[in-house]
Amino acid sequence: MNDKVTNILLVGVGGQGTLLASEILSETFMLAGFDVKKSEIHGMSQRGGSVVSHVRFGREVASPTVPEGEGDVLFGFELLEAYRYLPLLHAGAKVVVNDYRIPPPSVLLGQEVYPDDLAERIRRRFPDFLLVDGLHLASEAGNPKAANTVLLGAVSKRLEIAEEHWLAALHKMVPAKALEVNIRAFQMGRVL
Amino acid sequence: MDRAILSGNEAIARGAYEAGVKVASAYPGTPSTEILENVINYKEIDASWAPNEKVALEVAIGASFGGARALACMKHVGVNVAADPLFTLSYTGVRGGLVLVVADDPEMHSSQNEQDSRNYAKFAKIPMLEPADSEECKEFTRLAFELSEEFDTPVMLRSVTRISHGKSIVTLGKRVDNLPAPALVKDAAKLVMLPGNARVRHPKVEERIVNLSLWGGTAAINRSEIRSADLGVICSGVVYQYVREILPEASILKLGMVHPLPHDLIRDFASKVKTLLVIEELDPFIEEQVKAMGLSVTGKALFSLCGELSPGRIRNALEQGGLLAKVTSAPLTVEKLPPRPPNMCPGCPHRGVFYLLNRLNAYVTGDIGCYTLGFLPPLNAMDTCVCMGASISNASGIVRSLPREEQKRVVAVIGDSTFLHTGVNSLMEMAWNQAPATVLILDNRITAMTGRQENPASGFTLNGEVAPEVNIADLCRAIGIKHVVTVDPYDLVATRAVLEAEMQRPEPSVIITDRPCCLMKGECRFEKGKILAVDQNKCTGCKACLRIGCPAIEWQPASDGKKGKAYIDPLLCTGCTVCQQLCKFDAIN
Ligand SMILES: Cc1ncc(C[n+]2csc(CCOP(=O)(O)OP(=O)(O)O)c2C)c(N)n1
């Protein structure tokens, strides 16, 4: 094991499930034998605001938040939010984003427009970029609510952690009745 | 041994369990709320919500006086409310160990100010421990109870958002089982604080803080890590982790106890390094004391007094101060994007009320809860917000300064939990002194902002057991308010009529809105209505429905230069009908 700490950022809109996804990541890394720290904000921003969770793993992790500009992987649940947090990444970072738009208040009111070229803009800066049609794939897996798990599958392929640990974490964290669909969704993400 | 990934809050709950705590009391407040919500996993602890922080601390004090180990938890501003018992508790000391957990919120992620609680420890002359990760949260909680009993003092444990809501790996231990059984013991000289007794106790308080400082000089939680002799950093809590990240070569004096400070240890550390820094969030709490010791040290000359620190902020400050070589390349920037502030949920019963307050040109003295979001556009219907309970007393004061015509515009808006927290005192004042303002109590049957905790009017305890409910309308009448009306906030016509009538009234009156929070699941609380849709043929694009700022309603501009139309997202709509009532063209059905 080398000393390098891997930095992951999960970004989206409050209520989208970033917290659960970051729990599954942390559990996986612990099962794989790493030190793990994570940080997130509950409270006010959970009311539909912009949210970011930090997850870090390695032999030994000090700060629970990712030092600015050192993010290795961005796990985006929503396009605008993914774009907003790009400055937290280093130039060679991997970016996996759900192809999903949630209009913020000013856009709902017709005062501002939701930029329509965000995916291209991200790709221009981060060549290692994957846009995932999470909703569609999750529906194929059996439940549109498993979109986050499809993305998780895609993120998992970009981290050097054995599949067994991911599956063990899913078994532990996902309620029994939703497990089958989520495992399917996860596997669909892994082939992207 | 068992290991688990725990948040700081979960680890504090675990620490309380392992320390043999018998009684725990708290009032919710971000980022402290989850401590008590996790304490209920341990059946050995009697845990309950209190209506406010003063009561929570007093419940814990009572349990301590009975001889049990007791825990009280609150956010930083909660200590303001609990300050009265806290300062005298410092004099009485404890019987069973007592720990007050306070969670600060540097950067104000979810708070109205970012006061630094370390000042309270100094002010009340009691020790304060500050953990730097979840493992320390658990261990320091255990240690705090031991210290409390050994030194006959309440102990504060300070967390911050990044610790409370950060997670790291914790090794789980066993619950201590050799504590003395609680029992009533008469000890008036210690527990009855009248001048004669308090005069005897005060010198003990002063002596205690000196002894604690000496203890801190040898305690393992104050740790001197000598690496480079060039630079030494004194720090504590989560900042320690950032410093390890950014200055891996620096020597560090990591303080686990931030009050009182271990003077000899600090002097010894200072003597071993060429340059001495204190890196701390918010106030120069440690820095000023180190300076008062006559040592040369740099702190707030480099680091901001405002907001939280982060690895990047520390790196930037050190680079600017010439203490770190500039290695960072220019950071990536992105162009200005539409902001995404928090918003009331679709179907929130507060939304229509704020729309009406806006239309009626009310001057709204506000309060703290989800409804504070009513100040945001397009509702723009809150004019003041100071602290919990202040809406009513602010209204009472403001009407006294105004001519009659202006008085009519003043409406105090407060949630059910906040009303029972401290608003009820303010209403007594308003009734007693007959201040002619209107009070709107938004009763959504829960403490929504902090994540849906029960309160004295919600009918359940922390553990979900059925409990007597405060009848808010009867309470207001008992206080002396003659006009108390209950309305359905989804019914805009009726609510508007009542608001208009009560705003005209030249005496105090109370309007209670009665609709559950739309996030409350189960137990026949919130029920969705028929999901609504915009009839694209009838919609004239007048934008009336957009004026409530519902996240389910989106303006869709037309591409061909024609007028756009509104669209309702069926996945978000809860069928509250507020937008439907605003549509003059019968286009929402
Ligand atoms: C002294 C103090 N304690 C706790 C808090 C945290 N807090 C913010 S709002 C709130 C309660 C909100 O509940 P309620 O008044 O019922 O309004 P709702 O959010 O349900 O609309 C609490 C506990 C605080 N800001 N100040």
Side-chain angles (χ1 to χ4, degrees):
Chain A
M1 242 182 244
N2 66 17
D3 280 358
K4 161 95 179 79
V5 171
T6 304
N7 297 316
I8 304 163
L9 294 148
L10 299 92
V11 305
V13 177
Q16 267 195 298
T18 49
L19 297 191
L20 178 62
S22 69
E23 298 277 284
I24 296 173
L25 285 171
S26 313
E27 189 69 29
T28 304
F29 303 144
M30 185 176 81
L31 292 173
F34 290 101
D35 187 20
V36 187
K37 282 195 179 157
K38 75 168 196 148
S39 175
E40 58 219 359
I41 302 297
H42 311 186
M44 200 93 178
S45 50
Q46 290 303 111
R47 298 271 167 283
S50 164
V51 292
V52 52
S53 292
H54 306 237
V55 180
R56 313 186 70 207
F57 72 94
R59 199 177 55 78
E60 195 187 337
V61 182
S63 166
T65 53
V66 174
E68 295 86 330
E70 294 183 18
D72 298 301
V73 179
L74 184 87
F75 182 169
F77 291 62
E78 200 270 351
L79 264 165
L80 182 65
E81 295 315 311
Y83 193 72
R84 196 189 303 281
Y85 289 103
L86 293 180
L88 294 178
L89 305 177
H90 62 74
K94 303 173 164 76
V95 179
V96 177
V97 182
N98 194 9
D99 189 4
Y100 189 65
R101 294 164 179 74
I102 301 179
S106 59
V107 173
L108 291 174
L109 296 174
Q111 294 160 349
E112 285 187 87
V113 287
Y114 193 109
D116 58 5
D117 60 343
L118 289 175
E120 293 82 81
R121 284 202 241 166
I122 298 173
R123 196 188 311 276
R124 240 175 281 138
R125 289 178 170 184
F126 295 92
D128 196 338
F129 169 63
L130 179 71
L131 188 66
V132 180
D133 189 350
L135 210 59
H136 178 81
L137 290 171
S139 306
E140 256 175 46
N143 190 342
K145 285 190 181 148
N148 293 350
T149 316
V150 177
L151 273 107
L152 185 74
V155 168
S156 76
K157 274 301 269 195
R158 283 150 184 81
L159 296 165
E160 284 163 22
I161 303 278
E163 185 174 0
E164 56 179 306
H165 301 306
W166 292 101
L167 294 176
L170 282 171
H171 273 91
K172 191 169 162 196
M173 316 287 293
V174 177
K177 63 176 190 317
L179 190 62
E180 212 188 301
V181 171
N182 275 280
I183 299 282
R184 236 186 345 257
F186 180 76
Q187 298 296 1
M188 290 172 92
R190 272 183 83 80
V191 297
L192 295 173
Chain B
M1 258 199 267
D2 272 352
R3 297 191 331 147
I5 301 185
L6 299 186
S7 70
N9 284 348
E10 289 167 334
I12 291 168
R14 178 75 198 188
Y17 164 76
E18 291 182 9
V21 165
K22 276 225 162 66
V23 177
S25 184
Y27 181 71
T30 314
S32 71
T33 312
E34 300 84 1
I35 301 171
L36 218 60
E37 290 178 330
N38 280 287
V39 163
I40 61 172
N41 296 330
Y42 308 107
K43 299 298 163 218
E44 294 86 345
I45 305 179
D46 177 320
S48 52
W49 292 125
N52 67 35
E53 292 86 352
K54 174 180 189 290
V55 176
L57 180 57
E58 288 161 349
V59 167
I61 293 173
S64 162
F65 286 176
R69 286 193 170 177
L71 178 79
C73 315
M74 54 199 64
K75 71 182 290 169
H76 60 331
V77 287
V79 185
N80 302 335
V81 180
D84 198 7
L86 179 63
F87 280 72
T88 303
L89 172 65
S90 173
Y91 280 33
T92 62
V94 302
R95 283 199 60 240
L98 188 148
V99 174
L100 167 57
V101 179
V102 52
D104 282 11
D105 189 16
E107 197 77 16
M108 296 173 273
H109 297 285
S110 289
S111 302
Q112 65 268 37
N113 76 23
E114 55 181 348
Q115 65 190 49
D116 185 335
S117 292
R118 293 177 300 173
N119 296 298
Y120 265 117
K122 188 154 181 277
F123 196 1
K125 304 178 190 243
I126 57 180
M128 175 179 266
L129 307 186
E130 183 170 27
D133 59 21
S134 296
E135 178 70 29
E136 287 192 356
C137 281
K138 194 200 71 157
E139 281 309 307
F140 284 18
T141 303
R142 282 183 68 139
L143 174 66
F145 280 100
E146 287 162 19
L147 277 182
S148 172
E149 287 167 3
E150 186 182 338
F151 288 89
D152 190 11
T153 179
V155 177
M156 286 176 94
L157 184 89
R158 179 192 190 232
S159 173
V160 295
T161 300
R162 296 293 176 185
I163 292 294
S164 278
H165 291 169
K167 287 203 168 189
S168 57
I169 298 173
V170 175
T171 305
L172 308 180
K174 284 208 179 65
R175 181 170 164 92
V176 297
D177 55 7
N178 57 351
L179 298 174
L184 291 175
V185 173
K186 275 179 100 72
D187 190 356
K190 173 173 160 64
L191 302 182
V192 179
M193 281 304 95
L194 283 173
N197 289 343
R199 275 184 214 117
V200 179
R201 296 293 303 177
H202 185 186
K204 293 190 196 298
V205 171
E206 302 300 341
E207 201 180 303
R208 181 178 74 198
I209 211 75
V210 173
N211 290 338
L212 277 158
S213 170
L214 292 175
W215 176 85
T218 57
I221 61 167
N222 290 331
R223 185 172 74 223
S224 182
E225 301 173 1
I226 300 299
R227 284 177 279 265
S228 148
D230 288 333
L231 182 64
V233 181
I234 304 177
C235 57
S236 67
V238 73
V239 175
Y240 165 78
Q241 309 291 2
Y242 304 153
V243 173
R244 285 295 292 132
E245 196 80 39
I246 300 300
L247 295 170
E249 304 302 324
S251 296
I252 297 181
L253 176 58
K254 178 190 180 298
L255 297 174
M257 182 164 74
V258 289
H259 187 73
L261 293 181
H263 293 141
D264 291 346
L265 196 60
I266 291 173
R267 250 182 242 292
D268 181 58
F269 180 74
S271 73
K272 291 184 175 141
V273 295
K274 266 214 271 322
T275 305
L276 185 63
L277 281 183
V278 173
I279 307 185
E280 56 191 329
E281 282 174 328
L282 303 175
D283 296 345
F285 181 81
I286 298 171
E287 181 187 348
E288 282 179 355
Q289 296 183 66
V290 173
K291 281 187 170 152
M293 289 168 60
L295 296 171
S296 158
V297 62
T298 307
K300 292 297 165 182
L302 295 177
F303 301 95
S304 175
L305 292 160
C306 309
E308 64 181 356
L309 290 175
S310 68
R313 286 179 183 177
I314 291 177
R315 187 170 52 206
N316 290 344
L318 292 170
E319 283 177 3
Q320 262 163 26
L323 288 161
L324 204 61
K326 257 199 188 314
V327 285
T328 33
S329 46
L332 180 72
T333 51
V334 294
E335 44 292 63
K336 198 174 161 291
L337 297 169
R340 194 186 300 274
N343 191 354
M344 289 177 205
C345 306
C348 177
H350 301 333
R351 179 173 281 106
V353 175
F354 283 99
Y355 170 78
L356 294 174
L357 289 166
N358 175 317
R359 304 310 286 173
L360 292 170
N361 193 25
Y363 186 91
V364 177
T365 56
D367 224 302
I368 305 191
C370 284
Y371 48 92
T372 315
L373 298 169
F375 100 92
L376 287 167
L379 297 166
N380 299 313
M382 187 170 289
D383 298 287
T384 72
C385 172
V386 180
C387 66
M388 291 188 77
S391 55
I392 301 178
S393 18
N394 286 169
S396 184
I398 209 164
V399 291
R400 274 165 231 215
S401 67
L402 298 173
R404 177 63 203 139
E405 265 321 294
E406 290 266 285
Q407 286 179 340
K408 291 179 185 167
R409 289 176 54 203
V410 177
V411 180
V413 175
I414 187 166
D416 48 336
S417 185
T418 304
F419 176 67
L420 296 165
H421 175 275
T422 34
V424 65
N425 301 295
S426 303
L427 192 68
M428 270 182 236
E429 190 283 334
M430 182 178 272
W432 186 12
N433 299 313
Q434 287 294 296
T438 308
V439 174
L440 193 51
I441 301 175
L442 303 178
D443 183 6
N444 60 358
R445 317 265 320 152
I446 207 82
T447 314
M449 180 83 266
T450 42
R452 299 185 297 287
Q453 290 73 34
E454 304 296 342
N455 68 47
S458 71
F460 297 92
T461 65
L462 167 64
N463 295 299
E465 280 153 25
V466 174
E469 300 172 23
V470 171
N471 183 319
I472 293 178
D474 283 353
L475 177 61
C476 295
R477 286 189 199 98
I479 282 173
I481 302 290
K482 285 199 284 262
H483 311 280
V484 181
V485 197
T486 300
V487 296
D488 176 359
Y490 282 171
D491 184 341
L492 292 187
V493 173
T495 304
R496 184 181 179 121
V498 170
L499 262 172
E500 275 176 330
E502 296 308 322
M503 286 169 74
Q504 285 301 320
R505 205 185 282 286
E507 52 186 318
S509 61
V510 170
I511 306 169
I512 300 168
T513 64
D514 181 19
R515 270 283 169 183
C517 168
C518 59
L519 292 178
M520 288 202 323
K521 299 184 181 95
E523 295 141 42
C524 61
R525 285 173 152 183
F526 175 77
E527 278 171 42
K528 271 195 182 184
K530 173 178 171 276
I531 305 309
L532 299 173
V534 176
D535 182 334
Q536 298 290 324
N537 294 321
K538 289 186 180 167
C539 178
T540 64
C542 75
K543 293 192 173 178
C545 57
L546 292 176
R547 287 205 293 244
I548 52 173
C550 176
I553 311 179
E554 182 177 358
W555 179 250
Q556 299 202 316
S559 47
D560 49 7
K562 289 200 203 117
K563 248 190 165 183
K565 290 185 194 300
Y567 165 78
I568 295 179
D569 184 339
L571 294 175
L572 293 178
C573 177
T574 66
C576 77
T577 78
V578 168
C579 60
Q580 190 178 31
Q581 297 171 56
L582 295 180
C583 182
K584 293 204 180 73
F585 304 97
D586 196 25
I588 300 179
N589 281 297

